[in-house]
Amino acid sequence: MKKIIYSLMFFFLMININAQQTPAAKQSNPISIEGATAHLGNGQVIENSLIMFSDGKITFVGSAMMRIARIGTVINAKGKHIYPGLIATNASLGLAEIDAVKATRDFDEVGTMNPHIRSLIAYNAESKVVESMRPNGVLMAQITPRGGLISGTSSIVQLDAWNWEDASIKTDDAIHMNWPGSFTSGRWWLGEDPALKADPNYGKNIDEIKQYFLNAKNYLASNSDTKHIPYESTKGLFDGSTKLFIHASGAKEITDAITICKELGINNLALVHGEGADSVADLLVKNNVGVVLDRPHRNPNSEDDAYDYTYTIAKTLVDKGVLVCLGMEGQMERMNTRNLPFYAGTFAAHGLDKEVALQLLTSNSAKILGIDDKVGTLEVGKDATLFISDGDALDMRGNVLSKAFIQGRDISLETHQTKLWKRYSNKYRSK
């Protein structure tokens, strides 16, 4: 019996040992990176750059030709490229591990109105999916819940941590709401007409949302002794400290959502998905509403859209003055988040300037998420969250990382996948 117990203890110990890499230690020595082409994340590029950081913060950004003393460990990155850490917006990393195993999925909650649900406390810092982001330069993410009309609250994390407390960069940054569509289609599997038609319940669905927020607003103004936790959690929406991310597509839906939220006194807004946002770009600019676009590798939603609509929408919105970043919601979203830089590369291949495409993952994301004072660009005083790539980070042929740092910590680029790659590369190399 003792042998069985010891065997079980050893088995579970090995699972725990293999579950998570040890997060990198806090930066103890200054680091200077010289010679690389620095892409600052704000559209600017410095050839033959010098980047220095200490205690987790960037202390110098400039030309390596300047006569300035290098500090600490000097990394020669001549011929390589340096970028700010990429930010995955509207992602559900760490909230599910294996889509086919229900017990590992924790991204939505029972009920339709859940503004009080906090995705952060369900975030699994030990996820093997999360660790696979880092070798492609994805070092931060907005962890976002799904489901219902009001899904809950997202938080922003860095992707090398012991637990969710260590991971958090900004806690409870936004509440996410799924705006109803004005069209519906029949359930073909029940013999109903599958063609799109106006949804007769659209007005009723909108009234339900309006009434909920009005009730919350009245509750907050009443100073009631009875605590209503969901209503309590909406307080930031009305005082502007919490952003409302509206998941909506279609010109009518987007217009209705912004107009009604403004009427309710909810002014700090962002739009997610945004199919059709190009037709209401003036409304978005006027109300300072940033757009979190879906990844471009998909079919257009409407048969009236151009065949390359999903590839060119980023440039269209940028040219119209809309602040745009890139989100990850969709099929296989957690696993596909590692491809974030290559989705931006697709936008660049279809008319968007390469450095502007990079901004969709760096400075623009940071601005929309409200963390641009900490990350998003290579600037003095910001977190030293950055990486060195052998080539163009937006091209899978060039995105080969040699070093990555989160808040100055020299993180591991080894993952379960890279170990398997090396293992089987050796197998076939030996033949």
Side-chain angles (χ1 to χ4, degrees):
M1 185 66 184
K2 284 185 178 180
K3 288 183 178 180
I4 295 174
I5 293 173
Y6 289 146
S7 296
L8 287 172
M9 288 176 65
F10 178 76
F11 174 74
F12 287 115
L13 177 62
M14 291 305 297
I15 289 176
N16 287 332
I17 289 173
N18 292 322
Q20 180 194 26
Q21 294 179 0
T22 302
K26 184 177 180 181
Q27 183 182 7
S28 57
N29 296 310
I31 293 176
S32 300
I33 305 172
E34 65 176 353
T37 298
H39 304 261
L40 303 190
N42 58 6
Q44 298 180 31
V45 177
I46 301 177
E47 303 286 349
N48 190 19
S49 68
L50 174 62
I51 310 292
M52 298 192 291
F53 51 94
S54 181
D55 296 325
K57 297 291 183 181
I58 298 174
T59 56
F60 181 84
V61 177
S63 171
M65 300 298 291
M66 295 182 65
R67 293 187 175 181
I68 182 172
R70 278 53 170 164
I71 59 173
T73 302
V74 178
I75 299 174
N76 183 355
K78 186 176 181 180
K80 298 186 178 184
H81 298 256
I82 185 169
Y83 295 87
L86 307 182
I87 306 168
T89 308
N90 186 35
S92 56
L93 289 171
L95 300 183
E97 194 70 7
I98 305 171
D99 285 346
V101 180
K102 188 174 182 180
T104 73
R105 296 183 296 169
D106 200 10
F107 48 78
D108 63 0
E109 192 56 81
V110 175
T112 58
M113 300 294 190
N114 296 312
H116 58 301
I117 296 300
R118 304 175 67 227
S119 62
L120 182 61
I121 60 174
Y123 174 70
N124 176 21
E126 296 184 356
S127 167
K128 288 187 179 297
V129 179
V130 167
E131 76 175 18
S132 71
M133 303 298 118
R134 302 194 297 258
N136 280 357
V138 182
L139 306 182
M140 295 164 284
Q142 182 194 38
I143 307 305
T144 307
R146 306 286 183 231
L149 274 175
I150 301 177
S151 304
T153 304
S154 59
S155 289
I156 303 159
V157 300
Q158 52 86 4
L159 303 183
D160 182 60
W162 288 102
N163 49 44
W164 63 264
E165 293 98 329
D166 292 338
S168 181
I169 294 175
K170 186 175 183 180
T171 301
D172 301 334
D173 71 292
I175 290 175
H176 292 254
M177 175 173 64
N178 297 303
W179 195 262
S182 61
F183 286 86
T184 186
S185 57
R187 297 166 293 181
W188 59 267
W189 59 93
L190 294 179
E192 298 174 356
D193 182 4
L196 280 175
K197 52 184 175 295
D199 186 353
N201 294 318
Y202 180 66
K204 179 183 176 182
N205 294 334
I206 300 307
D207 287 341
E208 182 181 357
I209 292 172
K210 288 172 66 176
Q211 191 59 55
Y212 186 87
F213 282 121
L214 282 172
N215 291 343
K217 194 172 185 179
N218 292 334
Y219 164 82
L220 293 169
S222 68
N223 296 316
S224 173
D225 292 333
T226 303
K227 288 288 184 182
H228 191 292
I229 294 176
Y231 288 166
E232 289 276 352
S233 66
T234 66
K235 182 178 180 181
L237 297 179
F238 298 106
D239 64 21
S241 60
T242 301
K243 182 168 283 190
L244 180 63
F245 277 64
I246 305 169
H247 296 232
S249 287
K252 175 176 174 54
E253 288 85 346
I254 295 169
T255 302
D256 287 347
I258 293 174
T259 301
I260 290 170
C261 285
K262 290 287 182 177
E263 290 174 355
L264 292 167
I266 302 173
N267 298 306
N268 193 1
L269 304 172
L271 176 65
V272 182
H273 306 314
E275 198 94 6
D278 49 321
S279 62
V280 291
D282 290 344
L283 177 70
L284 299 172
V285 173
K286 178 182 177 181
N287 290 283
N288 193 31
V289 178
V291 177
V292 183
L293 287 177
D294 287 335
R295 49 197 168 171
H297 295 181
R298 56 190 173 84
N299 291 326
N301 285 349
S302 171
E303 62 183 18
D304 295 326
D305 290 332
Y307 73 94
D308 60 352
Y309 176 85
T310 62
Y311 297 152
T312 60
I313 181 63
K315 176 173 170 54
T316 301
L317 289 174
V318 168
D319 288 348
K320 292 185 177 185
V322 179
L323 184 65
V324 177
C325 73
L326 182 55
M328 283 308 307
E329 188 171 355
Q331 189 176 25
M332 292 284 289
E333 62 181 78
R334 287 164 292 282
M335 294 70 177
N336 277 321
T337 300
R338 68 173 69 92
N339 295 320
L340 183 72
F342 313 136
Y343 295 134
T346 297
F347 287 135
H350 289 80
L352 195 62
D353 178 83
K354 181 66 71 71
E355 297 303 319
V356 175
L358 175 64
Q359 288 179 258
L360 269 58
L361 316 179
T362 54
S363 58
N364 287 11
S365 294
K367 287 175 183 175
I368 289 174
L369 298 177
I371 54 173
D372 53 311
D373 60 329
K374 298 178 182 177
V375 295
T377 55
L378 299 176
E379 291 184 58
V380 172
K382 290 191 177 183
D383 288 353
T385 299
L386 49 91
F387 64 91
I388 303 171
S389 174
D390 288 354
D392 181 358
L394 304 190
D395 187 328
M396 64 178 63
R397 296 168 298 180
N399 189 324
V400 179
L401 272 62
S402 57
K403 280 285 187 182
F405 302 87
I406 293 179
Q407 296 166 345
R409 298 180 295 111
D410 188 354
I411 68 170
S412 171
L413 296 175
E414 194 73 270
T415 73
H416 178 65
Q417 291 181 336
T418 60
K419 289 176 182 176
L420 289 175
W421 167 62
K422 291 175 182 177
R423 175 184 176 184
Y424 288 101
S425 292
N426 289 332
K427 173 184 176 182
Y428 292 107
R429 189 178 293 120
S430 63
K431 289 186 176 182

